Amino acid sequence: SRSPLRIPLKSATTRLPHRTQDMTDAHLLAELISHAAARDPDAIALSHGRQAMSYGALQQAVSGFVGGLVGLGLQRGERVAIYLEKRLETVVASFGAAGAGCVFVPLNPLLKAEQVAYILRDCNVRALLTSSERLALLEPILSSCHDLRHVILVTGETLSDRPGPLAWLRWDDLLQAGGQSGHRVIDTDIAAILYTSGSTGQPKGVVLSHRNLVAGARSVASYLENTADDTLLAALPLSFDAGFSQLTTAFHAGARVVLLNYLLPRDVLKALASERVTGLTAVPPLYIQLAELDWPATISGHLRYFANTGGRLPRQTLASLRSRLPDSKPYLMYGLTEAFRSTYLPPDEVDRRPDSIGKAIPNAEILVLREDGSACAANEPGELVHRGALVGMGYWNDREKTAERYKALPARTPGRDAGLVLPEIAVFSGDTVRSDDQGFLYFIGRRDEMMKTSGYRVSPTEVEEVLYATRLVGECVAFGVDHPTLGQAIQVIATPAADGEFDPVALLAECRRRMPAYMVPAGVTVHPGPLPRNPNGKIDRKALASAFLASTADGERPLPGLSQP
């Protein structure tokens, strides 16, 4: 029989007339699709190249995936990892896993095999969805993933000769074997685990409930004014909260999503024009590149808004975009994976306060607190704290890191009356902000040492662990420095290996082989002796970063041995 994913591309205009209907009745993630399908089954939900799926076909495929997972024996709450680029099956599996009562774990397709293996082990993944091409990279590490039982391939190949304890299955066979209903779940159950780099060590899994994801979709769709007539471009990775939000927001409104795996920024412009996209959300590095290109004149006639997330958009870039898109509304946003999305600046405020991250999104409250938990005065720097329905469920299997970010609000917090006995958990972001006299927020800096490059959060120790694994360095530190297009560029200072040899070019070549492109250092500097320590005996990263910045500020060559990738 014909797979529901092999549907000829239809025009985005071939949908039933838009009908006004309450779109706030979804409680579980998969209901965003089933409710949209009930309203208008023929409306196009997804486009990918020359393929498209209507909401009715998408609901059929999700139901098939639900039945397939249950038929495999997966239990409520078990994890299903998805290691694919953006494609129709990626979307079906994400919503289908949640619909089955399981938990989907989207993996950034840029991750290398060892990084994938860490995540598969960390959250005890039971089933893995991938392609034959990606499987070739993963096969050496699968035996170390002791909880993995099932591998589902979206691309066809002979599976009968595969040895080992894993059960192998083709995508089409899984969907056709469906028919069973998913496990019973409620909106406070886990729906997803999104892995994000931590301030130390390996990435950590942010646990999100059905309520978090559905409330986020409802909130974002309300201030972006999304309707069934919208077409959103999914340019960000679906493993990002902001990337996955393009799906949830669109499905809440019954809109169309265009899935794009782009190689060059010009590919984004081509998709905007050819698909007549009405909404684009991206990160500053992409917008900086787009602002330098010539835009097709037709885009300004249909792009209703463009939204920024993942860091501050430079004023010059914002001005350039607005000159190309005079009729498009700019939305400047701030979000945390731990709370999905936190603030936005209304477009009519951009001229007055282009450096602001705005105010809280609907159904959220953003506080600026001192270290003792009391509220800061206007223009007094403090920590951004997010409370409300979007606050996640902590970090998977990590009590210590969860306790650092997810804390009980002080009893005197607004909205917390003295008679309330049970604590309310909020996300303490670790970011320093200030609020002006009108309540608009301004980002000041990050309390920890996280690096933000190309829209990604990268842990210094995550980079350092890879450097040490090359055996080409003795000691090393990584830190971020401001960069006009990347946000921050990753710099490394390292000592020679035990044999006294140090080759920055060879080291960077190994980094490119072992790391995603966004994690590769922009420069490597050799330090002749042991790296300085702080009083606790740890390598003093801050002192080294300060010395590096001071040398560049004086117009000197940063340090001997600098090498660019």
Side-chain angles (χ1 to χ4, degrees):
S1 61
R2 190 179 187 183
S3 168
L5 293 186
R6 302 294 179 256
I7 298 173
L9 181 64
K10 299 179 183 179
S11 167
T13 59
T14 58
R15 60 172 67 211
L16 298 176
H18 176 63
R19 292 173 292 177
T20 302
Q21 185 169 340
D22 178 27
M23 294 184 294
T24 63
D25 53 353
H27 299 288
L28 304 178
L29 183 65
E31 290 177 350
L32 293 174
I33 294 174
S34 62
H35 290 183
R39 291 192 300 268
D40 191 349
D42 293 327
I44 299 298
L46 292 171
S47 297
H48 179 225
R50 298 188 60 79
Q51 291 180 294
M53 291 187 78
S54 67
Y55 273 100
L58 179 57
Q59 171 60 25
Q60 177 188 350
V62 168
S63 296
F65 195 77
V66 167
L69 290 183
V70 175
L72 291 178
L74 267 71
Q75 300 301 306
R76 178 176 176 177
E78 289 193 312
R79 273 71 63 198
V80 179
I82 304 167
Y83 184 48
L84 290 170
E85 69 279 10
K86 288 190 284 288
R87 54 192 294 164
L88 302 181
E89 293 93 338
T90 307
V91 179
V92 172
S94 299
F95 286 80
C102 299
V103 177
F104 74 93
V105 184
L107 304 179
N108 192 318
L110 296 179
L111 295 181
K112 305 297 186 181
E114 284 300 328
Q115 294 164 314
V116 172
Y118 170 79
I119 294 174
L120 297 183
R121 292 191 296 263
D122 184 61
C123 66
N124 315 97
V125 163
R126 187 67 74 187
L128 169 66
L129 174 68
T130 189
S131 62
S132 300
E133 297 79 13
R134 293 183 179 276
L135 180 63
L137 303 175
L138 297 182
E139 282 188 298
I141 59 91
L142 291 181
S143 61
S144 69
C145 305
H146 303 298
D147 295 288
L148 185 63
R149 296 291 181 271
H150 308 278
V151 177
I152 306 159
L153 296 179
V154 298
T155 47
E157 68 167 40
T158 302
L159 303 178
S160 57
D161 297 333
R162 289 191 170 275
L166 295 177
W168 301 84
L169 194 67
R170 293 186 184 89
W171 171 266
D172 288 344
D173 294 337
L174 180 73
L175 263 62
Q176 292 171 7
Q180 301 187 60
S181 300
H183 301 290
R184 176 174 172 81
V185 296
I186 60 174
D187 67 353
T188 53
D189 285 340
I190 306 173
I193 303 177
L194 305 187
Y195 274 80
T196 180
S197 292
S199 58
T200 59
Q202 297 284 5
K204 52 195 180 188
V206 177
V207 182
L208 299 175
S209 69
H210 289 263
R211 178 182 294 178
N212 296 150
L213 295 170
V214 173
R218 187 177 302 150
S219 179
V220 174
S222 68
Y223 69 77
L224 291 179
E225 301 177 316
N226 291 118
T227 71
D229 298 320
D230 273 320
T231 294
L232 308 187
L233 184 65
L236 297 174
L238 300 182
S239 55
F240 270 16
D241 59 312
F244 195 77
S245 179
Q246 303 313 297
L247 298 175
T248 57
T249 301
F251 295 166
H252 171 76
R256 180 174 73 114
V257 180
V258 177
L259 303 176
L260 178 68
N261 300 290
Y262 67 90
L263 294 176
L264 300 171
R266 190 170 301 280
D267 298 333
V268 176
L269 292 184
K270 291 179 180 177
L272 290 175
S274 64
E275 300 286 352
R276 296 188 59 81
V277 170
T278 63
L280 171 66
T281 299
V283 293
L286 177 56
Y287 277 128
I288 291 169
Q289 293 174 309
L290 292 177
E292 296 174 351
L293 301 176
D294 292 328
W295 286 54
T298 57
I299 294 178
S300 63
H302 54 74
L303 188 65
R304 187 171 62 79
Y305 70 84
F306 61 94
N308 175 67
T309 189
R312 181 178 174 272
L313 191 62
R315 283 196 181 191
Q316 182 177 356
T317 302
L318 177 59
S320 178
L321 292 170
R322 296 183 73 189
S323 68
R324 288 169 168 79
L325 303 165
D327 298 321
S328 303
K329 294 182 179 180
Y331 287 86
L332 306 182
M333 305 190 297
Y334 165 94
L336 299 161
T337 304
E338 292 83 353
F340 207 62
R341 191 116 327 265
S342 297
T343 72
Y344 82 100
L345 184 68
D348 57 6
E349 294 287 347
V350 171
D351 288 329
R352 285 189 287 271
R353 37 181 66 85
D355 296 324
S356 174
I357 59 174
K359 296 182 178 182
I361 65 172
N363 200 27
E365 183 170 10
I366 302 300
L367 309 170
V368 183
L369 302 182
R370 303 185 181 101
E371 289 191 8
D372 64 1
S374 59
C376 292
N379 294 307
E380 177 188 356
E383 184 174 8
L384 185 149
V385 177
H386 179 127
R387 67 180 294 250
L390 278 71
V391 171
M393 303 176 72
Y395 299 119
W396 178 262
N397 200 31
D398 197 325
R399 292 181 181 275
E400 182 178 351
K401 289 186 175 68
T402 297
E404 292 174 2
R405 282 286 176 264
Y406 295 84
K407 304 177 186 178
L409 285 170
R412 57 185 174 276
T413 301
R416 296 291 301 166
D417 292 335
L420 290 173
V421 177
L422 293 177
E424 178 186 344
I425 302 300
V427 171
F428 286 66
S429 69
D431 290 343
T432 301
V433 300
R434 66 176 178 86
S435 175
D436 65 18
D437 294 334
Q438 286 75 45
F440 287 93
L441 296 159
Y442 296 82
F443 182 85
I444 295 175
R446 302 183 185 280
R447 288 191 175 184
D448 57 23
E449 296 172 324
M450 288 292 297
M451 300 175 288
K452 194 67 172 283
T453 180
S454 298
Y456 293 86
R457 288 201 299 173
V458 179
S459 160
T461 55
E462 195 175 2
V463 174
E464 292 159 8
E465 286 177 3
V466 176
L467 295 174
Y468 283 125
T470 68
R471 300 180 181 272
L472 297 177
V473 301
E475 296 177 340
C476 65
V477 295
F479 52 89
V481 298
D482 290 342
H483 189 278
T485 58
L486 299 177
Q488 286 186 311
I490 299 174
Q491 293 289 339
V492 168
I493 298 177
T495 65
D499 60 6
E501 296 293 326
F502 189 88
D503 186 347
V505 175
L507 181 63
L508 286 171
E510 275 296 298
C511 288
R512 293 189 194 96
R513 188 177 73 83
R514 297 167 180 254
M515 298 175 172
Y518 64 81
M519 197 183 293
V520 175
V524 178
T525 301
V526 61
H527 192 282
L531 298 181
R533 262 67 171 167
N534 63 21
N536 294 328
K538 298 179 180 179
I539 295 175
D540 197 335
R541 180 184 287 108
K542 291 183 178 179
L544 286 164
S546 297
F548 181 94
L549 292 173
S551 67
T552 57
D554 292 337
E556 303 171 2
R557 188 176 182 210
L559 284 173
L562 180 67
S563 176
Q564 296 296 329

